[in-house]
Amino acid sequence: MIVAVAQQRIVEDVEVNKMKALSLVKRAIQHEAKIVVLPEASNTGLFPENFGKVRSLEEELDLILKLSERKDILVIAGVVERSEGNLFNSVALIYRGEVIGKYSKILLFPLNEERKYLTAGKELKVFETDFGKIGVLVCYEVRFPEMARKLMKMGAEILAVPAEFPAERIEHWRTLLRARAIENQFYVLGANCVSPDGFYGGNSMIVDPMGNVVNEAGNLQEIIIGEVNLEYVRRVREEYPFLKDLDSIP
């Protein structure tokens, strides 16, 4: 199965961001990808000045929803959305013109203004899709192995990580993605963004269940492609049955 990770160049202009996201999804379709992951807050970026005009999930993702109606691709898109009067840093799973699942970021980042403007989610989720069982974490949350481990125990075969991870800590990002893959023996699709000022570092990655980097982006807007084989997840877990020893931990 071909998958794509879209490393979007996020700017302050919301309409420009939406068009960039749409263009990257179109490129993933051209590569015959079955899954494409967009970065965190792909519509607004984490610019508080954009939050006042944020609308519902479906309104924020209207272009991608329309594009996906007749396409056989699962879009996993980071999006700031308004729901019941509150703003959430969410990730939507879109298939055939519909939102088939949503996860809202639980751990809001303490070093910017996320906690001032956004409401935290409350529930980890694994989504059963035609392309595998997919868990989602957002950016900062990849630092917490407990969250990824719980998603694995819930059945995840793939972990998607939309992010806006800064360049100054990009080696943390690269190490954490590989660590989460190795610890849980699943694929990790990490979609970081880039920015005109170089603050966000890129290096989006596709990592296999053994921690091998299948593909990695640089520091410009681009799309990376890789192969995901869910049978390989099962085979790795059988040949290296380390996860079974979790039950032996006192």
Side-chain angles (χ1 to χ4, degrees), residues 124 126 145-156 184:
L124 286 171
V126 171
E146 301 85 352
M147 298 180 79
R149 179 55 51 84
K150 184 171 182 180
L151 291 172
M152 179 278 295
K153 289 183 174 181
M154 293 167 66
N184 297 292

Side-chain angles (χ1 to χ4, degrees), residues 103 105 107 136-148 159-163 165 172-181 183-184 186 188-190:
Y103 168 74
K105 188 176 183 180
L107 299 181
V136 178
L137 295 177
V138 181
C139 197
Y140 174 56
E141 295 177 325
V142 78
R143 290 184 174 275
F144 296 85
E146 301 85 352
M147 298 180 79
L159 175 66
V161 189
F165 217 96
H172 292 192
W173 163 256
R174 298 177 74 244
T175 301
L176 289 164
L177 293 181
R178 295 189 66 202
R180 298 297 85 87
E183 291 166 347
N184 297 292
F186 52 28
V188 175
L189 311 181

Side-chain angles (χ1 to χ4, degrees), residues 13-29:
D13 189 315
V14 172
E15 295 308 313
V16 170
N17 288 336
K18 290 182 179 181
M19 292 307 298
K20 286 179 181 290
L22 186 70
S23 175
L24 288 165
V25 173
K26 288 179 178 178
R27 287 172 60 187
I29 291 169

Side-chain angles (χ1 to χ4, degrees), residues 89-248:
N89 187 340
S90 295
V91 179
L93 279 73
I94 297 166
Y95 185 65
R96 299 287 192 184
E98 296 183 4
V99 176
I100 63 168
K102 183 184 79 169
Y103 168 74
S104 294
K105 188 176 183 180
I106 295 170
L107 299 181
L108 301 175
F109 190 53
L111 301 184
N112 60 16
E113 296 185 298
E114 278 191 67
R115 295 180 179 182
K116 179 178 178 181
Y117 294 99
L118 303 172
T119 299
K122 297 180 179 179
E123 182 184 4
L124 286 171
K125 297 179 180 180
V126 171
F127 303 94
E128 291 205 30
T129 76
D130 290 348
F131 310 112
K133 297 177 182 178
I134 301 174
V136 178
L137 295 177
V138 181
C139 197
Y140 174 56
E141 295 177 325
V142 78
R143 290 184 174 275
F144 296 85
E146 301 85 352
M147 298 180 79
R149 179 55 51 84
K150 184 171 182 180
L151 291 172
M152 179 278 295
K153 289 183 174 181
M154 293 167 66
E157 301 163 304
I158 298 169
L159 175 66
V161 189
E164 292 200 8
F165 217 96
E168 68 176 0
R169 295 189 295 277
I170 205 65
E171 287 305 314
H172 292 192
W173 163 256
R174 298 177 74 244
T175 301
L176 289 164
L177 293 181
R178 295 189 66 202
R180 298 297 85 87
I182 294 167
E183 291 166 347
N184 297 292
Q185 298 177 326
F186 52 28
Y187 284 94
V188 175
L189 311 181
N192 198 15
C193 71
V194 291
S195 57
D197 59 5
F199 183 82
Y200 294 108
N203 287 95
S204 297
M205 295 171 68
I206 299 170
V207 187
D208 79 10
M210 291 294 286
N212 300 307
V213 177
V214 176
N215 205 343
E216 182 173 3
N219 60 1
L220 300 174
Q221 177 168 296
E222 62 178 298
I223 192 164
I224 58 172
I225 304 296
E227 289 274 354
V228 164
N229 182 348
L230 298 183
E231 180 55 38
Y232 183 56
V233 176
R234 289 184 277 273
R235 190 162 70 246
V236 166
R237 290 176 176 179
E238 289 176 2
E239 292 180 6
Y240 304 94
F242 307 144
L243 296 176
K244 293 180 181 179
D245 279 341
L246 289 173
D247 295 334
S248 301

Side-chain angles (χ1 to χ4, degrees), residues 54-67:
V54 168
R55 301 168 296 172
S56 70
L57 188 69
E58 287 77 11
E59 289 174 296
E60 292 298 323
L61 295 170
D62 57 343
L63 296 177
I64 292 175
L65 283 164
K66 187 174 181 179
L67 174 67

